[in-house]
Every structure is written in C-alpha cells, then in structure tokens.
Amino acid sequence: MSILQFELSELEKALIHSDKHASSVSSSNIAWHIDHSLKVIHKVSTVLIDSDPSKYKWKFNKWRFIIFIKGSFPRGKVKAPKHVRPPEIIKLEDIKLQLKEVQKNLTDIEKLPSKSHFDHPIFGQLHLKKTIRFLELHTTHHIKIINDILKAI
C-alpha cells in the first residue's frame, strides 16, 4: 500500500497547481487528472470491497501481461469511462473529500482476502494484488502527466 499512499500525497501536493494546463501535454488541466485518479481509486476499491472472492477465476490476458511487465500505460490510447470522468467544474473541496474517502478505502482494502477482485474492461479480472498494481500504474501515469504539464508551463 505504501506506493499508493505516496502517490496520494503527490496528488495532494499537486492541488496547488490545479488550474494549470498545457495543451501540448494534455487537453485537461491538473485538477482533471487529480480528480480522475481519485475517482478510479475510489470506484475500484469499492468494487474490490464488494466482490465475492469465491467468484475469482484467473485467466491469461495478453494486454495485462504486456502492460504490467512494461510498468506503464501508453498515453492517449484509451478514454476514461464516463463513471470516472470528472465533472465540468471541479471544486477543490470535492477533491479534498475524495482524498479522505480514498485514504479510508486503502485502509479497508488492506484487510481484504487475496481473491477479492475487480473486472477491468481491458485487463480482465484482477485479484487484490494485481488490482493494487493496476491502481499504482494508473496513478503513476497521471502523476507523470501532471509533472509534464508543470514542466511545460
């Protein structure tokens, strides 16, 4: 969990730059990347918590294998699903509330059985450890974009 905890602190530090934007890097501002990352962690954690570990079934997935070995996501290849897209107007108070929710979620998922799972639309079914790895990779992806925006302005 320590990687995700560190990443959350990086997202929180980036809040002071929330309105910054560099179209050469991303069509969205920093607030969008923070909000989206938190929504993904929250939604995925909730699914993990609600999952039935007895229904977990491992199956090979080529894309999961490639991306998890590579350790990063390619940019601009996949659009965020609607349920994890930020609203048109992103309020800092909402982001701060999400940060608290996500902290609680991370504490809760630490106690889950190893076969708790999440069904990813591209990577298939991910057990607890792989789901945490996915969240780390996804959050790192957006932190890199945030850092690139800050370098570009």
Side-chain angles (χ1 to χ4, degrees):
M1 255 338 135
S2 61
I3 293 172
L4 271 175
Q5 293 292 352
F6 174 77
E7 290 175 335
L8 284 181
S9 70
E10 291 296 301
L11 292 175
E12 192 169 12
K13 286 180 204 170
L15 276 174
I16 61 169
H17 305 290
S18 61
D19 61 333
K20 303 280 192 291
H21 177 261
S23 57
S24 62
V25 176
S26 173
S27 60
S28 303
N29 67 10
I30 287 175
W32 189 97
H33 290 281
I34 296 169
D35 191 88
H36 167 67
S37 297
L38 294 172
K39 280 182 177 16
V40 168
I41 295 169
H42 177 69
K43 298 270 186 196
V44 170
S45 298
T46 302
V47 170
L48 270 177
I49 291 163
D50 294 340
S51 72
D52 179 354
S54 70
K55 294 191 174 166
Y56 172 73
K57 265 202 178 290
W58 182 86
K59 185 178 175 187
F60 178 77
N61 180 291
K62 176 180 88 169
W63 291 114
R64 177 181 64 224
F65 179 78
I66 291 169
I67 297 297
F68 280 44
I69 290 288
K70 186 179 176 202
S72 65
F73 297 151
R75 283 196 191 172
K77 299 293 181 193
V78 178
K79 276 198 144 214
K82 284 183 185 177
H83 61 280
V84 289
R85 281 190 207 147
E88 287 290 318
I89 298 169
I90 302 167
K91 298 177 185 168
L92 286 182
E93 310 86 65
D94 293 341
I95 291 177
K96 289 175 184 176
L97 283 173
Q98 284 184 83
L99 272 163
K100 286 181 183 173
E101 282 180 340
V102 166
Q103 289 285 2
K104 183 189 178 316
N105 288 7
L106 294 184
T107 301
D108 291 346
I109 66 173
E110 284 178 358
K111 303 168 192 146
L112 292 175
S114 63
K115 291 191 177 182
S116 299
H117 59 276
F118 161 69
D119 291 324
H120 187 276
I122 296 171
F123 303 136
Q125 202 173 61
L126 305 172
H127 60 66
L128 179 63
K129 193 173 177 181
K130 288 284 186 197
T131 300
I132 292 168
R133 179 74 175 129
F134 160 72
L135 291 173
E136 291 167 355
L137 292 173
H138 181 266
T139 308
T140 296
H141 173 76
H142 287 281
I143 289 170
K144 285 178 181 177
I145 294 170
I146 289 167
N147 290 335
D148 286 351
I149 290 171
L150 291 172
K151 285 178 198 165
I153 53 173

